[in-house]
Amino acid sequence: KTAIRQSSYSSMSNHTKERVTMAKVTLENFYSNLIAQHEEREMRQQKLEKVMDQEGLADEEKRVRRSQHARKETEFLRLKRTRLGLEDFESLKVIGRGAFGEVRLVQKKDTGHVYAMKILRKADMLEKEQVGHIRAERDILVEADSLWVVKMFYSFQDKMNLYLIMEFLPGGDMMTLLMKKDTLTEEATQFYIAETVLAIDSIHQLGFIHRDIKPDNLLLDSRGHVKLSDFGLCTGLKRAHRTEFYKNLNHSLPSDLTFQNMNSKRKAETWKRNRRQLAFSTVGTPDYIAPEVFMQNGYNKLCDWWSLGVIMYEMLIGYPPFCSETPQETYRKVMNWRETLTFPPEVPISEKAKDLILRFCCEEEHRIGATSVEEIKSNAFFEGVDYDHIRERPAAIPIEIKSIDDTSNFDEFPDSDILQPTGMLPNHKIWLFYFQPRTVWFFFTKYLIQFTC
C-alpha cells in the first residue's frame, strides 16, 4: 500500500503536490493551535486554583472567583474570534515603501493602540511569484515569541491587499541609522552585532534560516535595541532564494572600474546615494547574501552569519565589502570574495574586528558559528559583553522618542493610493493561508473560505 501511495504521489503534477502539501500544513497548524489553546486554558485554570489555595479562600469565594474567571475566558475567546478589517484602523502616515507594497503607521480605532501595518499588493506578489515568501513570513511571525523578533498581532486581507498588523518600532531601521552616520565606533558595532547574534540565534533555535539579514531588516525599538523583521525569505529549507537575476550572466557586462578606483570616502558617498533605490526595487541588493545561497547547491543557517559579517564591515568601514555600481558586478564580487574582500588602509579598524569579519565571511565549513552560537559569543571582539542583560542596558546610540506615534526616525514618503481599488487580480490559481487568532484563511483568486473554531 505504501508503494502504491508513493507511486500515486509521484504521478501528481507539481501544482497538485503543492496544494496537497499546503492542505496538510494548514490542517496540522489548525489542530495544533486548538491543542495549544486548550493547554493554555488548562494552565490558567490550574494557576487560579493554586492561587486560591495559597490565599486560603472559602468555598463560596472560590466559586465566585471561578465564575469570574470563566466569564473572562469567554470574553477572551470572543475577542480572538473577532474579524478585523481595514475599517478598524486609521491610517496616520506612510513610514516605509518597498517593491510589493508599503508600511503605514496606523491606530486601532477602538483602543487607540498604534501599530505598523504592512500592506502587500496581491497582484504584484502573484506576478513576481512571491506567495511562498509571504507565507513563510507569516509562519515565523506566528511561531516566534521572542524579544528579538518583531511581533505580529493580526492579519487579514481584502480583494486587493494582504495586511500584517505588527508592533511599531519607533527607532527606525539600521539602514537609516548607518546612512546618518559615516561609520560606527567599534563599541557601538560590538553592541549592535552582539544583539543581532542573539536575534539570529533565536530564529535558528526555531528551525528557521532568515536568508535576508541586512540593515533594512534590523529594526530598533524605542530604547534603541535590535529586533529582526521581514521574514519574506525566511525558510526551514523550503523555497530557494530568488537569485535568478544575479545568476543570469550570459551577457557580458563591463566591470565597474570607476567604482574600484574610488577611495573609501567616494565609495561610501556613492553607496549611500544608491542604497535607498536598491532597497525599494524588486531586485534588491545581493551585497549581504552568502555565496553558497547563490550556488543553490545546499546551504544551512551559516549563511546568516556571513550576512552579519558583511553588516559588521559596513558599520566600521562605511559601505559593504562587495558594493558596486551594478547588482551583477556585486554578485561577481561576492562569488570571488577571496580576492575582493579587502580592508581599505585609510579606514583603520582593530585586528579583533578584522578577524571576526573574516571568520564570518569565509568558506562555509570554516565559518564561525558552525559548532554553536557560543563560538561567536566567546569571540575576542565581544569581550566584556553581558549577553544575559544586554537588552536591559542603554543602547549604544540612544533613541529620542517624543510620543507613541513619533516617526522622526523614518524617511518621509508621499501618500499613495494602495488602499484604493485599482483593478482585478490576475487569474492565477495560487493560494495563501493566513491566521488570525483561532482562524484559518484560505485565499483563492475567485473565492474565500473561512473556518473558525
Side-chain angles (χ1 to χ4, degrees):
K1 290 183 179 180
T2 302
I4 294 173
R5 284 197 296 267
Q6 290 176 344
S7 175
S8 176
Y9 183 78
S10 62
S11 64
M12 294 180 184
S13 67
N14 290 335
H15 174 68
T16 302
K17 287 180 181 178
E18 182 180 354
R19 293 183 65 179
V20 168
T21 301
M22 288 309 306
K24 178 176 179 291
V25 170
T26 300
L27 290 172
E28 287 176 350
N29 279 321
F30 178 72
Y31 287 107
S32 176
N33 285 340
L34 283 181
I35 294 171
Q37 290 159 10
H38 174 73
E39 291 174 347
E40 289 170 1
R41 287 196 298 271
E42 288 293 317
M43 289 177 62
R44 289 193 292 269
Q45 184 68 41
Q46 292 172 10
K47 184 177 179 180
L48 173 66
E49 296 293 334
K50 184 178 179 180
V51 169
M52 290 192 299
D53 289 341
Q54 290 174 347
E55 293 178 357
L57 299 181
D59 290 343
E60 179 61 23
E61 291 175 316
K62 286 184 177 181
R63 188 190 65 77
V64 173
R65 284 275 191 97
R66 291 188 187 108
S67 177
Q68 292 173 343
H69 178 79
R71 285 197 297 271
K72 289 180 180 179
E73 287 284 358
T74 300
E75 178 65 12
F76 178 61
L77 291 177
R78 186 189 68 78
L79 289 173
K80 291 189 77 172
R81 284 195 292 265
T82 301
R83 289 180 58 181
L84 292 176
L86 198 58
E87 64 278 2
D88 296 298
F89 297 89
E90 179 183 356
S91 177
L92 303 179
K93 187 178 182 181
V94 179
I95 58 175
R97 186 158 288 147
F100 304 105
E102 63 187 29
V103 180
R104 292 187 177 219
L105 181 69
V106 298
Q107 190 167 31
K108 199 163 183 288
K109 293 179 180 178
D110 59 346
T111 64
H113 292 165
V114 173
Y115 301 96
M117 175 189 282
K118 188 172 185 178
I119 307 168
L120 299 164
R121 290 183 294 265
K122 291 179 180 178
D124 289 350
M125 291 186 296
L126 290 168
E127 181 181 356
K128 301 297 182 180
E129 299 181 350
Q130 296 296 299
V131 175
H133 296 164
I134 303 306
R135 186 185 297 130
E137 177 167 22
R138 196 231 45 101
D139 285 349
I140 193 170
L141 288 173
V142 167
E143 187 166 343
D145 182 17
S146 168
L147 291 172
W148 300 106
V149 175
V150 62
K151 287 182 173 61
M152 184 179 75
F153 296 98
Y154 314 101
S155 64
F156 54 89
Q157 59 184 304
D158 57 27
K159 289 184 178 180
M160 302 306 300
N161 302 313
L162 300 172
Y163 304 90
L164 303 182
I165 307 300
M166 311 171 84
E167 67 175 318
F168 171 56
L169 299 179
D173 59 45
M174 185 60 63
M175 179 181 72
T176 302
L177 180 65
L178 291 177
M179 291 183 70
K180 290 179 180 177
K181 310 283 185 180
D182 289 330
T183 58
L184 300 186
T185 65
E186 292 207 7
E187 181 182 7
T189 300
Q190 181 199 63
F191 171 81
Y192 290 119
I193 296 298
E195 287 211 331
T196 308
V197 165
L198 297 178
I200 293 173
D201 181 57
S202 72
I203 65 167
H204 286 177
Q205 290 183 27
L206 293 174
F208 288 93
I209 307 169
H210 193 286
R211 291 193 307 171
D212 199 24
I213 299 293
K214 56 185 179 182
D216 321 43
N217 296 336
L218 304 182
L219 301 187
L220 303 175
D221 65 16
S222 59
R223 297 178 56 244
H225 292 272
V226 169
K227 286 201 176 191
L228 273 181
S229 73
D230 204 345
F231 296 88
L233 294 179
C234 192
T235 180
L237 292 181
K238 295 177 183 176
R239 181 174 177 171
H241 197 293
R242 181 171 51 91
T243 56
E244 290 80 3
F245 177 85
Y246 307 115
K247 295 194 71 174
N248 184 19
L249 301 177
N250 295 329
H251 56 290
S252 179
L253 291 170
S255 180
D256 58 341
L257 294 174
T258 303
F259 195 88
Q260 292 178 21
N261 293 331
M262 292 180 184
N263 59 28
S264 295
K265 184 177 180 180
R266 290 281 306 282
K267 280 186 179 181
E269 291 172 351
T270 303
W271 169 250
K272 288 182 179 181
R273 188 169 60 248
N274 297 334
R275 186 63 173 85
R276 279 293 177 206
Q277 186 177 353
L278 287 170
F280 300 154
S281 72
T282 57
V283 173
T285 170
D287 281 271
Y288 308 95
I289 301 173
E292 65 265 21
V293 178
F294 286 125
M295 296 298 292
Q296 296 190 3
N297 292 328
Y299 55 89
N300 54 36
K301 64 184 181 182
L302 295 178
C303 67
D304 288 340
W305 300 130
W306 169 285
S307 303
L308 187 57
V310 175
I311 294 174
M312 181 176 172
Y313 183 107
E314 182 178 356
M315 288 178 173
L316 294 170
I317 304 299
Y319 53 87
F322 311 111
C323 65
S324 303
E325 290 281 12
T326 66
Q328 297 95 328
E329 185 62 29
T330 298
Y331 164 81
R332 282 200 280 260
K333 285 185 177 181
V334 171
M335 300 308 294
N336 198 33
W337 61 268
R338 291 175 182 83
E339 284 72 40
T340 57
L341 179 53
T342 59
F343 296 87
E346 63 269 25
V347 187
I349 63 174
S350 71
E351 289 300 318
K352 289 181 180 179
K354 188 180 298 184
D355 174 74
L356 181 55
I357 291 171
L358 294 175
R359 294 291 310 281
F360 279 132
C361 300
C362 64
E363 295 89 350
E364 191 176 4
E365 58 270 22
H366 298 142
R367 195 171 300 158
I368 192 170
T371 56
S372 73
V373 71
E374 296 303 323
E375 183 183 9
I376 300 174
K377 293 164 68 175
S378 61
N379 184 269
F381 180 75
F382 297 118
E383 183 179 359
V385 173
D386 182 2
Y387 290 100
D388 293 333
H389 303 96
I390 192 169
R391 283 198 81 94
E392 299 165 16
R393 62 164 282 191
I397 300 176
I399 302 295
E400 294 184 6
I401 304 298
K402 299 175 182 177
S403 63
I404 61 171
D405 58 352
D406 186 355
T407 59
S408 59
N409 293 302
F410 293 83
D411 286 340
E412 293 291 330
F413 294 91
D415 207 348
S416 70
D417 59 355
I418 192 172
L419 299 179
Q420 303 300 321
T422 56
M424 298 301 293
L425 287 171
N427 189 22
H428 292 304
K429 265 194 168 181
I430 62 90
W431 50 301
L432 287 167
F433 64 94
Y434 270 78
F435 287 79
Q436 275 184 265
R438 302 181 61 82
T439 303
V440 183
W441 294 89
F442 291 83
F443 170 72
F444 294 83
T445 302
K446 294 185 177 179
Y447 51 91
L448 183 69
I449 306 175
Q450 181 190 0
F451 294 93
T452 303
C453 60

